[in-house]
Amino acid sequence: MTITVPSGLFEQAHAAMQRAYAPFSRYHVGCSILSTDGRIYVGCNVENSCFALGHCAEAGAVSQMIVSGSKQIASVLVIANNDTPCTPCGGCRQLIREFASDDAPIYCANQHGVVSVHRLDELLPYSFGPNHLGASS
Ligand code: THU
């Protein structure tokens, strides 16, 4: 099956992955987010000697999107530097969910290319979100 990925999403996540700071795990992750207003934001994982303070790649990309003024995620691509396609960790699924609709595609890539794509609600079913708190956004 051929997976069609929005233009530039893989390349930009791959470039971000190469800038990861991951001296402890040596697991380099890149994330690219396409916002609904057509912009691409990227992040990489940034680890810390105090291990608990490390940041996932998705967190960096979401922060970049919000500070730049985009409001909504259209799709996400996550890539890591080995052969196993990177799926977002549980915390990052929740982070993405804050700004994405249930049907947002999450592309999972290894160092060679995109291997699978999943709807957000497939990765995070029955999720908790702003609607539970009565928030519009
Ligand atoms: N990591 C991410 O950046 N995103 C994920 O969704 C999975 C895990 C990072 C965190 C840590 O720096 C390294 O991968 C190993 O867990």
Side-chain angles (χ1 to χ4, degrees):
M1 184 185 76
T2 306
I3 298 172
T4 305
V5 181
S7 176
L9 218 54
F10 178 82
E11 293 77 8
Q12 293 211 35
H14 191 275
M17 175 184 74
Q18 290 175 314
R19 294 192 287 269
Y21 177 74
F24 307 110
S25 71
R26 304 207 175 278
Y27 186 69
H28 293 211
V29 184
C31 173
S32 56
I33 290 175
L34 175 66
S35 58
T36 54
D37 57 353
R39 301 175 66 184
I40 293 180
Y41 300 99
V42 299
C44 62
N45 55 333
V46 182
E47 298 183 346
N48 191 278
S49 311
C50 180
F51 292 171
L53 298 181
H55 288 276
C56 284
E58 296 91 324
V62 167
S63 293
Q64 201 199 7
M65 183 189 89
I66 294 302
V67 77
S68 300
S70 296
K71 307 282 188 213
Q72 185 74 13
I73 293 172
S75 55
V76 179
L77 190 148
V78 187
I79 179 175
N81 64 333
N82 66 21
D83 288 342
T84 305
C86 188
T87 48
C89 76
C92 288
R93 294 177 193 200
Q94 184 70 42
L95 186 64
I96 292 164
R97 186 259 176 266
E98 188 76 14
F99 305 106
S101 58
D102 280 346
D103 63 352
I106 313 297
Y107 299 96
C108 302
N110 65 15
Q111 59 192 332
H112 306 295
V114 172
V115 175
S116 63
V117 59
H118 311 276
R119 287 170 53 113
L120 177 60
D121 63 1
E122 191 185 343
L123 298 181
L124 194 68
Y126 306 105
S127 66
F128 183 82
N131 53 310
H132 288 90
L133 303 177
S136 48
S137 63

